[in-house]
């Protein structure tokens, strides 16, 4: 069981850098005068390369065991974000953040495969692994904002520290799980046929969820006024995800994954609408509710995807765990362009449609017929 906490800690350290990019946005606006489109491009840098290459890493890890990718990808993720604040050149900043996105892409498929083995396919145990990533996300504004407020963008090299610590903590679990033998639960998980049509529908659900969540994470700090209020909004958004991740695993163990997913996306619709449209401090309540609802299905996407593609666990993990966070960034420049053409609130209001689409598509999914025991 200690292997799951170790993997969860490493997951937190690598996903810290996905949360760090939105936390950098207010400082890039204040320090370099970037507009909405420019900062949307920075968010895009963290997600575009990751979105493109993450399935490729999934295919590679299905063919060859690559446990060394986990510590190496962590360090690459950290170096990229740490270098992002060192140059006044927009192009170099973009490339540095893109390098971090590449590290994130390399991490998730192999980490998801090892977590599958360590958790024996259990919803609750996999939710703890996912929780690690969510907490890493949540801690980013809490750590990045005071650091850069005190030292400016020049203090960004210190942001490499979580990557190094995460690599060191994760190494014992990686060595243990890559020794060769599969657990009985993991072996049972690879029986059955790959259901590509259902997996394609699940992937679209994940894309819709990602667009609304990444859109909120990129702009909610600016929507709330930036500064301390913006940092609080980001923390509420990310911390609410921790609650949703654990809650989703518990509800799925009791009600099933698909039923839990449908309920979560149905509740996300009014929550996102309130986060975007309700003014004042009450908006924080809706931001938290949005995060809980959008994160409740997060770990369920992973186990469901792996059960739908039992012979392509790495590919399923790369798509469901990695693209869930990254692919939404592809839509961020469109949100930024709409914000500059109208207003930020109007642009974010367009995000309300995406949990509706996720809920509608989730209604077409069913639990896989051959399913391993969950716990």
């Amino acid at each position: 069981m200690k292997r799951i906490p170790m993997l969860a800690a490493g997951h937190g350290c690598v996903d810290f850098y996905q949360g760090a990019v939105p936390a950098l946005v207010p400082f890039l606006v204040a320090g370099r005068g970037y507009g909405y489109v420019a900062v949307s491009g920075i968010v895009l840098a963290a997600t575009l390369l990751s979105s493109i290459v993450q399935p490729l890493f999934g295919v590679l890890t299905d063919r060859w065991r690559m446990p060394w990718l986990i510590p190496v990808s962590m360090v690459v993720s950290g170096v990229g974000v740490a270098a992002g604040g060192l140059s006044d050149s927009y192009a170099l900043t973009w490339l540095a953040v893109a390098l971090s996105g590449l590290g994130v892409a390399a991490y998730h498929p192999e980490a998801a495969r090892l977590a599958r083995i360590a958790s024996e396919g259990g919803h609750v145990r996999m939710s703890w692994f996912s929780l690690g990533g969510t907490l890493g996300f949540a801690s980013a504004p809490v750590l990045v904002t005071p650091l850069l407020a005190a030292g400016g963008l020049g203090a960004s090299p210190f942001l490499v520290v979580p990557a190094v610590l995460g690599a060191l903590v994760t190494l014992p679990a990686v060595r243990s799980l890559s020794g060769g033998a599969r657990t009985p639960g993991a072996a049972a998980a690879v029986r059955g046929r790959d259901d590509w049509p259902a997996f394609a529908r699940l992937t679209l659900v994940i894309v819709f969820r990602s667009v609304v969540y990444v859109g909120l994470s990129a702009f909610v700090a600016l929507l709330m006024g930036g500064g301390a209020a913006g940092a609080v909004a980001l923390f509420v958004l990310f911390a609410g995800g921790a609650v949703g991740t654990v809650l989703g695993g518990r509800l799925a163990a009791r009600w099933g994954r698909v039923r839990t997913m449908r309920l979560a996306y149905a509740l996300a619709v009014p929550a996102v609408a309130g986060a975007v449209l309700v003014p004042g401090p009450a908006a924080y309540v809706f931001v938290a509710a949005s995060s809980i609802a959008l994160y409740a299905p997060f770990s369920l996407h992973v186990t469901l995807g792996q059960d739908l593609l039992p012979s392509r666990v790495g590919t399923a993990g790369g798509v469901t765990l990695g693209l869930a966070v990254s692919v939404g960034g592809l839509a961020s420049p469109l949100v930024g362009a709409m914000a500059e053409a109208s207003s930020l609130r109007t642009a974010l209001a367009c995000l309300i449609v995406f949990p509706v689409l996720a809920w509608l598509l989730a209604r077409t999914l069913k639990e896989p017929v051959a399913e391993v025991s969950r716990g």
Side-chain angles (χ1 to χ4, degrees):
M1 289 299 293
K2 291 182 179 180
R3 296 178 297 187
I4 286 292
M6 289 179 183
L7 291 174
H11 193 192
C13 289
V14 78
D15 277 8
F16 168 86
Y17 295 103
Q18 299 195 82
V21 174
L24 283 172
V25 164
F27 294 95
L28 294 174
V29 171
R32 298 181 183 174
Y34 291 167
Y36 289 134
V37 173
V39 296
S40 298
I42 296 297
V43 175
L44 178 66
T47 57
L48 177 61
L49 191 60
S50 179
S51 299
I52 293 173
V53 304
Q54 197 139 209
L56 174 61
F57 279 111
V59 172
L60 292 175
T61 57
D62 280 330
R63 297 190 64 181
W64 300 288
R65 292 184 177 181
M66 306 171 74
W68 55 269
L69 264 181
I70 293 178
V72 169
S73 62
M74 286 184 181
V75 175
V76 170
S77 300
V79 168
V81 168
L86 295 181
S87 173
D88 290 334
S89 166
Y90 182 84
L92 291 179
T93 300
W94 196 97
L95 289 172
V97 175
L99 178 66
S100 179
L102 178 62
V104 171
Y107 170 85
H108 281 103
E110 182 68 6
R113 183 183 71 82
L114 294 186
R116 173 76 163 184
I117 297 172
S119 68
E120 300 182 359
H123 296 322
V124 175
R125 287 189 289 270
M126 184 62 84
S127 74
W128 286 109
F129 170 70
S130 298
L131 175 64
T134 306
L135 291 177
F137 233 75
S139 67
V142 178
L143 298 178
V144 172
T145 299
L147 174 67
L148 298 188
L153 290 171
S156 62
F158 290 104
L159 295 175
V160 77
V161 172
V164 176
L165 293 177
L168 293 175
V169 168
T170 306
L171 273 176
V174 172
R175 289 172 178 167
S176 172
L177 292 167
S178 59
R182 286 182 177 266
T183 67
V190 300
R191 294 199 299 262
R193 294 183 179 180
D194 293 337
D195 189 345
W196 286 101
F199 184 78
R201 295 195 298 274
L202 176 64
T203 300
L204 281 177
V205 170
I206 292 169
V207 168
F208 295 146
R209 179 253 180 215
S210 183
V211 168
V212 62
Y213 187 81
V214 175
L216 285 176
S217 66
F219 294 107
V220 71
L222 295 175
L223 181 67
M224 299 300 291
V232 170
L234 276 177
F235 176 76
V236 169
L237 182 73
F238 295 161
V243 177
T245 300
V246 175
L247 181 63
R250 298 288 181 181
L251 291 178
R254 183 173 182 177
W255 294 345
R257 290 171 293 186
V258 173
R259 184 181 178 188
T260 300
M261 190 187 311
R262 292 170 181 168
L263 175 62
Y265 286 124
L267 295 175
V269 177
V272 172
V276 173
L277 301 177
V278 173
Y284 290 111
V285 176
F286 288 100
V287 169
S290 298
S291 184
I292 292 171
L294 292 170
Y295 257 96
F298 186 61
S299 65
L300 312 183
H301 293 156
V302 181
T303 58
L304 184 59
Q306 289 175 330
D307 283 348
L308 291 172
L309 298 185
S311 67
R312 298 287 186 272
V313 172
T315 300
V319 173
T320 57
L321 187 58
L323 291 186
V325 178
S326 62
V327 75
L330 301 178
S332 293
L334 296 178
V335 177
M338 291 181 63
E340 292 193 346
S342 55
S343 71
L344 182 57
R345 194 176 299 275
T346 299
L348 292 179
C350 297
L351 298 177
I352 299 170
V353 70
F354 290 98
V356 176
L357 295 174
W359 174 73
L360 290 172
L361 203 53
R363 290 176 60 85
T364 71
L365 295 173
K366 298 180 180 179
E367 292 281 350
V369 175
E371 189 175 3
V372 297
S373 176
R374 302 292 177 189

